[in-house]
Amino acid sequence: MASSDRVRVRGVDIHRPIIYGNTAWVLTQKEREALPTSDHTHRWTVAVRSAASAPDSDIVGGADDLSYFIKRVTFKLHDTYPNPNRNVDKPPFEVSETGWGEFEITIRITFVQESGEKAITFYHHLKLHPWTVGGEPEIPPLETAAKMGPVHSWQYDEVVFHDPYQAFLNILTAHPPTPLPKTKRRPVPFHTANPSSLEASKGGVPEFTQEMEKDEAERLDAAKQKLAKEYDRINSLIIEKEKEHDRLKEEIKKALES
């Protein structure tokens, strides 16, 4: 690699839209009987994918191959699973399993060597049971849940690379992401921040749109602003406490000298 390729391109931000999450299906009685353990009720797939969906695809997202910038995805499952740390080094970046309970999955994304970037981590709550408006879990009988169809739980995010190395920037620009559709063509992924989307999420495999991308970006900006305000508040409080500490320290010093 030429030395010029290891120079960071200052003032450049480039992002790649991704989704992470899971889809879950109720196991049939025959499928449950074929498993080593009879208490498993669902099969599920957790994945990291491109945000855009391929035409007529039966999965959420996944139109683009992300291996040009993602080297590995590690999924940390519940400790009750054999080999709970699952490393996936080539697409599709996903893990499929069966189980009966919901739990948090840690998702660690490692980038290709050319990026020079540190790995990033996301946390996803494995969703098996149907969504409700309030976000509270609803556990209907398995027969009822099976008729309701698969449960989808997906989160949109944007991986932003600040001042990327020239070689990595070349790779990224050579692989532009498939744009999201401008308008709704399929059901939309449900998000608890938007309860009205529950009905719109039913009826098939959901798909992210540019409108949802905008809404998610606004939610992320609002969250960042809230964190910034909280940081400023805590920082001001620390400064006040430090001043009070210095004042008390000075009073004690004067008292000891008198």
Side-chain angles (χ1 to χ4, degrees), residues 78-135:
H78 195 276
D79 288 337
T80 54
Y81 283 90
N83 181 27
N85 290 295
R86 307 288 180 88
N87 293 320
V88 183
D89 295 324
K90 61 181 181 180
F93 295 108
E94 62 184 40
V95 168
S96 295
E97 270 289 359
T98 62
W100 59 266
E102 299 182 348
F103 56 90
E104 185 176 77
I105 298 176
T106 302
I107 303 172
R108 180 180 172 86
I109 299 177
T110 303
F111 300 109
V112 296
Q113 184 177 0
E114 293 88 345
S115 73
E117 301 285 344
K118 295 181 180 179
I120 60 174
T121 301
F122 296 106
Y123 299 93
H124 173 68
H125 180 82
L126 179 69
K127 183 71 175 170
L128 302 183
H129 307 297
W131 289 103
T132 61
V133 174

Side-chain angles (χ1 to χ4, degrees), residues 2 17 19 26 38 51 63 91 125 143 149 159 173 189 247:
I19 60 171
V26 175
S38 60
H125 180 82
E143 294 77 11
V159 182
T173 53
R247 180 181 61 80

